[in-house]
Structure formats: C-alpha cells, structure tokens
Amino acid sequence: MDTWNPKARPFILRRQTSVFFMSKHYWRQVPGKRVLSRICQLVLLIILMVTVVINVLFILDTSRKLQQESAESDDPGGISGAEKRYNSLRLQESLPKTLTIEVVSSQSKVSVSVDGATILEDAEDNKGRGIHVLVLNQATGSVMAQRMFDTYSPHEDEAMSLFLNMVSDGRIIIFTIKDEGTFQMKQPARDLMKRLGSKKSHGIGWRDMWAMVTQKGGKIFGESYSKSPEFNSWGAPVLLRVEVPLVPVEDSECDWSDTEENQRRRAFCNHIEGYGSVCSCTDPAPLTFSPERLPNNQVYDVPVAIIASNRPHYLYRMLRSLLSAQGANPEMVTVFIDGYFEVSVDSPVIYLLFQHTPIGLKNARISQHYKASLTASFNLFPDAKYAIIIEEDLDVSPDFFSYFSQTLRILDEDETVYCVSAWNDQGYEHTSEDPSLLYRVETMPGLGWILKRSLYKEELESRWPTPEKLWDWDMWMRLPDIRKGRECVVPDVSRTYHFGSSGLNMNSYFQDVYFKKHAFNTQPSIKMNDINSVKKDNYEAQIEELLRKAVVLDHSKSPCEENFVPDTKGGIYVMFIKMSSPRDFTTWLQVAKCFKIWDLDARGYHKSMWRMFMKGNQLLVVGVPNSSYSVFKPSQVTPIYLESHKIDKNRIR
C-alpha cells in the first residue's frame, strides 16, 4: 500500500472541454495581428483556387471552339474562320466613327483634347497670345498641323489667312483664342472665317473668347463665344464640345498616279498640312526640280548648308526657290536641323538631312547650331574649298548661283576679302538700283554667303563662341580681332529675300519695318560688273573717282526733308556727317531713320562711308573726320550733326 500524504491536494475530476470552447479560448489568446494574417492567407487561398478553376474552364472552352473551326474548314463549301474574322474586321471598319473634341478658350489657357487625349495645351504666362489653329486628318483624326498667330500684332491675320488657304479641303480645323486675338484681325481674315462657317467672326472683339471646330469646304461642327463685359476684362472661359464623324481613308486621299514622286507626295500629304499646291489633287506642284544649267558654273560642286529649325513651311518655300535657281546642284544641298522635329524631316524635297541635339540657350543655341553645321559641311565634303551658307527663311534669286559663280574667285585673289554675301544691309527698294554693281563693306552681312574652308578651319572654328556665351554668331564675326581688317563683298541689289516673320529675334512688326521692302533681284543671268573693281586698290580708286565727281548736297537742309536729294536721275551726290571716332554712329543712325533704312546699328559701311542710291542717283555719306575720305569735304561745308533719340526696344518685340 502506498504511503499516504496528508498534505496532498484532493483529486477533482475535470470536465472535458468542448472543441468550440477551446477555439474561443484559443482565439482570445492569439494577438490581433496574427488573426489578420491568418484571414489574408485564407482569402488568397480561395482566390487562387477560383483562378485555377476559371483557367481550366477557359482552356476547355477554347479547345472546343478550335475543334469546331477545324471541322468547318474541312467543309469545302463553308467559310473559313480566318475569312469570318476578316469580314468581322471589315464590318468594324465600315461602322461610322466619331471624334469627341473639346476646346477651351480663356484669358490664361487654351487646350484641345480629342477622345480625352490632350493634343494642345498652352497655359504659360505671357506667351501664346492670339489664335491657335489645329488641323486634323478627317479620316484618322491625327494632328496634321499646329500654328499660333498673334493676331494682336500687325500682319499676323494675313499669315493666318495664307496658312488657311494652303490647307486642303476636307480637313478638320480647330480655332481657339488665348488672351486676345482680334486687335489686328482685319476684315479679309474675318471674311475667311465666315466662309469657313463662323457665325461670330464679324462680332469677335477685344478680349472676347472664341472657339470653333469646322471642316474646310464642309460643315461647321460647333462654335462658342464669350463677350468681354468691359475694356479691362476678358470674356468668360469658353468650353466647346463637339462630335466629329470620320470619313473613310480613301475619301481623304487624292487620286494621284502611282509614281515614285507621288508616293513621296502621298506619304507627306497624308500626315502634314499647310503646303498648298504640294498636296493639290488637281494640279500638284512638282517635288523634283530640273534647274537650268549654268555655263561655266564655278560653284556646282560647292556644298550648300541650309541652317534650319522647326519651321517646315519656311524650309519648303526656301528649298523650292533654291532648287529652282539656275545652276543648282541638289546633291550638294544639305539641311541641318537644330533639334529633332518630324515635320521638318518629312519635307518632300529634302535630299540630305542632318539633325543634332541643341546646345546652349537662345542666341548661344543658334551660334552652336551654325558651328555644328559648318563643321559637318566641310567634313561631309572633304575636298570642298568653300561652302555656301543660307538660312531657311530666305528666298533666293534666279541668279543666286550665277552671282556666287562670278564672284567666287575674289576670295582667292584678294586676301583682304573676308566673305562674299548675297545680302546688302542697306539695299532697300528706294536705296538700290543696279543688280550688276558690287560694294565692299566692313560688316559681315550673312543671309546667304560663301565661306572659305581655310578661314573656317584655321581661324574661326577653334575660336567660335562657347555655349555659355549668349552671343550672336554674326556679331562675333564682325569683331575687329576676328575680322582683322578684312571686308565682305556684297551686291547693290540683294540676291536673297528675308520672308520669315517668326523666330527667336524676329516678329511680324520687325519683318514689316526692316525686311519687307528690301530690294530683291528677280532677273536671271545678270552679268556682274568688272569683278576686279572690288579688289582693294581698285575699289579705293573707284570711290575716290566718285567723290571727285560728286555734287555736295545742301547741308543747310535736314536729311529728313523730301527734297534733300534732288529729283534727278543718274547723278552722283555726297553728304558729310559728323563722326568723331570709328564707333561714333550717332548722326548716321539718325540719317538712317530719315532714309528709312536699317537704323538699329551701323552696318554696310566702308572706311566710315556709306554708299547707296537715292531717287535714281548715287549717294555717298562720309563720316567726318573719322573717314579717310574726309579730305574731299569742301572747307566751307559743316558736317551734318543730328542728336540721337533713344530707340524704344519694345517696338521690335
């Protein structure tokens, strides 16, 4: 028998705990985070099982359908599954499609969205004022052109009208105003808007908001307008929402013959707009050119570098005039684009094109673009001794290449010649007359010029302004330590014409005042006067001879008076102005204002002497006492002095 322990606790029979009770008790003991973790695991397990079941059912269903299609394809009288799918796609393509277009017009923002995708938005402060125009393809809805016209400024309404007239019939055109868009919108532009379907074009006024979606030559889809309540306020923001039906692709294309040229034309015209006759269905402009041959062409193998940016309509216009000029060699023409722009690249008349990543900002960017283009030109054509440089916003004369062919030799025969340019800074319609006459000038004109490889490689390339310097490349080339006393040869009548009204340093006002009335030779086959006459010593003798023959004008009169230069023809006149030092252009700039020629800085002079035509007479303006030609001033004549007036820089913005 076991020993009894009187201190032992009595034995008590315990009840068996139920499973339910144990579970409750267990969960009470488990922390909250572990409970949540277990629940998530259970949910994921259920989802996984459901996914597996769905996939199995899908595989079984797909297998059954494939077996049915296989059985149908064995039936020779039946229609194959592929044909059924093709017919289904054709049915979908034939169904009517529409675009949902939303347009916003307001004081501070414009935007355009198509089917919810924003294709235009301009909310930047102090920029984008005027009428924004978008052109869409009526079959695909793709953007074919985008322009902004600052119709607050002069002549922008004319540019807008020109662009709209170049758009093909059938295209969808979207208009929207930001800030102000009617101050300079004259009646012809308003009439054009009316012909496009606008009911509000004649009533849109100062700071009104307006948006319109229309089809050229077709119907208007919608127009919305908000009037400004008072002069110092803007109209309320406008939101226009329209549905635009698309047309079949074949209805949006021209029926051109299937030639290599028209294949290029079709590829271009199907996604780019605003090129007028290039995309005409009835009378398309040529894309290939056969310029007249130039006898004894000295520049046939000289590379032509076209300095371009993102202004494709400018580039096309320039290329047409260049490639149509007598003596043009398309194989030597290269377009250099500052950046990567699809529209510029797609120009149908470009033969060789290079793009590069922009370097620098503003004027520095332009300067680096020139350097990269010049370096590439001479690298592409390692045997070339010269290069012709021309910008994308210039027309060229019919004798552009003839002019350079005749003057090229002066670069080799006279070491005092810096360049030969096609542009005369002082050559306006009322100040130039003889297309066969040449001048020497100390300033570098640019705007179509020819450069020697040796000058660029041995002097300019290594000293070219670096990207951090916001310098104009042409102003840099005019610096005394760069030019080194050399001069450029220019014609009396320019061989290029500046038509561009938009750019970093350009607007419509600037173009109208300083470039629109520039003289431009339109005659073919002009034979230049004796080329040897512009060699240094010969030119000095020529100028001195002119001064000996010249009649001194009445210096008691103001140059601003209409009768300052007599109404004669074929005479030679001279006037003397005060010029105390090489940089004293005070009086000259005032005289330039009177003559209505370039007056923002001094250009086109030779030894402090300017030469031009006035009223059909040759006129020489001599700066006294700085010019060496001051010795020709009669002792009794007092040089004309005009005080300077501060130039309002706002007028060129």
Side-chain angles (χ1 to χ4, degrees):
M1 182 175 178
D2 293 335
T3 305
W4 174 68
N5 184 1
K7 294 182 180 180
R9 295 179 62 185
F11 174 79
I12 302 174
L13 180 65
R14 295 182 181 178
R15 291 182 302 169
Q16 185 177 4
T17 306
S18 69
V19 175
F20 172 77
F21 177 81
M22 288 182 63
S23 297
K24 269 179 78 176
H25 180 74
Y26 174 78
W27 287 113
R28 283 175 185 167
Q29 304 301 318
V30 177
K33 290 184 178 179
R34 293 185 61 189
V35 172
L36 183 61
S37 175
R38 293 295 177 89
I39 292 173
C40 290
Q41 290 175 3
L42 182 61
V43 170
L44 289 174
L45 181 60
I46 294 172
I47 292 173
L48 181 61
M49 292 177 65
V50 171
T51 303
V52 171
V53 171
I54 291 173
N55 284 334
V56 170
L57 292 175
F58 176 76
I59 293 170
L60 292 174
D61 184 61
T62 303
S63 177
R64 179 179 56 81
K65 288 182 177 180
L66 288 174
Q67 289 176 359
Q68 288 178 352
E69 287 184 3
S70 177
E72 289 174 357
S73 65
D74 292 336
D75 181 5
I79 301 176
S80 70
E83 289 179 24
K84 286 184 176 181
R85 288 192 296 273
Y86 175 73
N87 290 336
S88 173
L89 289 173
R90 291 198 59 184
L91 178 61
Q92 293 174 20
E93 290 177 352
S94 65
L95 291 174
K97 296 181 180 179
T98 61
L99 299 176
T100 301
I101 300 177
E102 291 187 353
V103 189
V104 173
S105 167
S106 70
Q107 179 230 335
S108 59
K109 175 183 177 179
V110 291
S111 68
V112 177
S113 63
V114 176
D115 291 340
T118 300
I119 58 175
L120 167 67
E121 184 172 69
D122 186 345
E124 193 170 354
D125 292 340
N126 302 317
K127 287 189 177 181
R129 177 185 62 192
I131 300 179
H132 292 250
V133 182
L134 277 173
V135 180
L136 307 185
N137 187 297
Q138 69 269 39
T140 65
S142 62
V143 178
M144 304 186 74
Q146 178 181 334
R147 301 283 191 277
M148 193 281 291
F149 301 96
D150 182 12
T151 40
Y152 177 87
S153 303
H155 307 296
E156 284 289 287
D157 62 328
E158 299 168 10
M160 181 176 69
S161 297
L162 176 62
F163 169 72
L164 293 173
N165 287 327
M166 301 272 278
V167 173
S168 303
D169 285 346
R171 302 303 189 197
I172 300 165
I173 308 179
I174 303 170
F175 299 89
T176 180
I177 287 179
K178 180 182 180 184
D179 188 9
E180 211 298 305
T182 62
F183 185 64
Q184 292 286 353
M185 191 161 73
K186 298 183 285 295
Q187 195 63 37
R190 294 177 183 270
D191 291 341
L192 176 57
M193 295 293 189
K194 183 179 180 180
R195 291 195 297 273
L196 289 171
S198 175
K199 302 292 191 296
K200 306 290 185 180
S201 62
H202 289 95
I204 305 172
W206 171 255
R207 291 182 173 175
D208 292 348
M209 297 298 109
W210 172 72
M212 180 174 75
V213 180
T214 188
Q215 184 174 38
K216 186 173 182 184
K219 60 176 288 189
I220 181 172
F221 298 108
E223 184 175 24
S224 187
Y225 167 70
S226 171
K227 186 169 181 59
S228 168
E230 56 184 5
F231 183 80
N232 292 325
S233 300
W234 285 264
V238 160
L239 173 60
L240 173 64
R241 187 178 189 276
V242 297
E243 299 288 329
V244 177
L246 296 177
V247 304
V249 173
E250 56 269 20
D251 292 349
S252 68
E253 297 181 345
C254 295
D255 188 22
W256 295 308
S257 58
D258 191 21
T259 64
E260 187 275 334
E261 181 180 48
N262 283 337
Q263 288 174 4
R264 284 195 291 133
R265 187 192 309 279
R266 184 172 287 105
F268 178 78
C269 295
N270 280 353
H271 72 286
I272 305 294
E273 257 301 344
Y275 287 79
S277 59
V278 174
C279 299
S280 169
C281 290
T282 55
D283 187 23
L287 300 183
T288 55
F289 302 89
S290 301
E292 182 183 347
R293 183 176 171 274
L294 177 65
N296 193 30
N297 188 351
Q298 299 298 307
V299 294
Y300 186 77
D301 293 325
V302 172
V304 179
I306 298 173
I307 312 299
S309 58
N310 189 26
R311 298 184 291 182
H313 46 301
Y314 285 2
L315 178 59
Y316 174 72
R317 172 174 169 174
M318 192 280 299
L319 283 169
R320 283 192 64 177
S321 69
L322 181 78
L323 298 175
S324 300
Q326 183 186 24
N329 181 1
E331 294 182 358
M332 301 300 292
V333 175
T334 308
V335 176
F336 295 93
I337 297 180
D338 183 33
Y340 300 91
F341 307 106
E342 179 184 359
V343 175
S344 297
V345 172
D346 287 338
S347 177
V349 295
I350 291 179
Y351 289 81
L352 184 60
L353 178 141
F354 280 84
Q355 296 172 281
H356 62 83
T357 302
I359 302 173
L361 300 172
K362 297 184 177 180
N363 293 340
R365 172 175 172 172
I366 296 175
S367 177
Q368 295 307 307
H369 181 31
Y370 269 83
K371 180 183 181 182
S373 302
L374 294 175
T375 299
S377 292
F378 286 121
N379 289 342
L380 285 169
F381 302 95
D383 296 330
K385 293 176 60 180
Y386 316 93
I388 294 173
I389 300 96
I390 186 168
E391 291 85 352
E392 67 182 338
D393 54 1
L394 300 175
D395 282 329
V396 305
S397 66
D399 71 334
F400 178 79
F401 291 104
S402 174
Y403 166 77
F404 281 124
S405 179
Q406 295 177 68
T407 55
L408 181 68
R409 65 181 177 87
I410 201 72
L411 286 168
D412 286 326
E413 296 175 4
D414 187 349
E415 62 182 11
T416 67
V417 173
Y418 193 38
C419 75
V420 176
S421 175
W423 178 262
N424 177 7
D425 282 310
Q426 311 299 349
Y428 290 83
E429 292 173 350
H430 62 288
T431 58
S432 61
E433 187 173 288
D434 186 353
S436 66
L437 186 60
L438 296 170
Y439 301 146
R440 287 176 68 108
V441 297
E442 295 177 21
T443 51
M444 195 280 173
L447 299 181
W449 53 293
I450 194 163
L451 170 70
K452 287 185 71 173
R453 170 191 284 269
S454 57
L455 173 63
Y456 181 69
K457 288 295 184 181
E458 296 171 14
E459 297 184 42
L460 302 180
E461 186 177 34
S462 60
R463 300 185 62 186
W464 201 272
T466 49
E468 70 275 6
K469 296 176 179 176
L470 300 178
W471 295 358
D472 292 314
W473 67 273
D474 51 344
M475 302 295 281
W476 172 78
M477 285 192 67
R478 294 169 190 157
L479 294 176
D481 64 324
I482 301 297
R483 187 173 60 84
K484 298 179 180 177
R486 293 166 292 194
E487 296 183 298
C488 288
V489 173
V490 303
D492 178 55
V493 181
S494 297
R495 266 42 180 200
T496 56
Y497 178 79
H498 187 282
F499 62 79
S501 59
S502 65
L504 179 62
N505 301 309
M506 182 60 57
N507 59 37
S508 58
Y509 173 83
F510 199 73
Q511 166 68 20
D512 190 49
V513 172
Y514 291 105
F515 294 98
K516 187 175 181 179
K517 295 183 179 179
H518 231 86
F520 177 58
N521 179 55
T522 58
Q523 304 176 48
S525 307
I526 295 293
K527 187 179 187 306
M528 306 307 296
N529 282 346
D530 184 12
I531 303 298
N532 293 325
S533 66
V534 288
K535 291 183 178 179
K536 183 179 180 181
D537 294 339
N538 295 341
Y539 195 70
E540 292 308 309
Q542 178 188 156
I543 296 300
E544 291 177 3
E545 181 66 20
L546 286 172
L547 287 168
R548 290 190 190 96
K549 295 178 180 179
V551 175
V552 179
L553 292 171
D554 185 353
H555 282 50
S556 66
K557 294 181 178 180
S558 167
C560 295
E561 294 181 31
E562 178 62 29
N563 63 351
F564 179 71
V565 176
D567 293 321
T568 60
K569 295 289 183 183
I572 304 173
Y573 296 100
V574 62
M575 64 180 288
F576 299 93
I577 64 173
K578 184 178 179 181
M579 186 174 177
S580 302
S581 65
R583 307 303 299 173
D584 177 15
F585 299 119
T586 302
T587 298
W588 164 251
L589 294 179
Q590 301 311 307
V591 170
K593 283 185 176 66
C594 295
F595 289 170
K596 294 180 173 60
I597 58 178
W598 183 270
D599 61 7
L600 299 182
D601 59 8
R603 298 185 181 185
Y605 53 85
H606 166 76
K607 292 189 174 181
S608 302
M609 182 273 298
W610 290 263
R611 184 180 175 188
M612 67 196 74
F613 282 84
M614 293 290 283
K615 297 182 178 180
N617 307 288
Q618 289 198 63
L619 173 64
L620 295 94
V621 182
V622 179
V624 177
N626 189 67
S627 175
S628 59
Y629 304 127
S630 298
V631 296
F632 290 93
K633 182 187 77 66
S635 58
Q636 72 275 15
V637 172
T638 301
I640 293 174
Y641 172 70
L642 298 176
E643 294 184 6
S644 65
H645 301 284
K646 187 177 181 180
I647 297 175
D648 182 6
K649 294 184 178 180
N650 289 324
R651 69 186 178 131
I652 63 173
R653 288 179 182 172

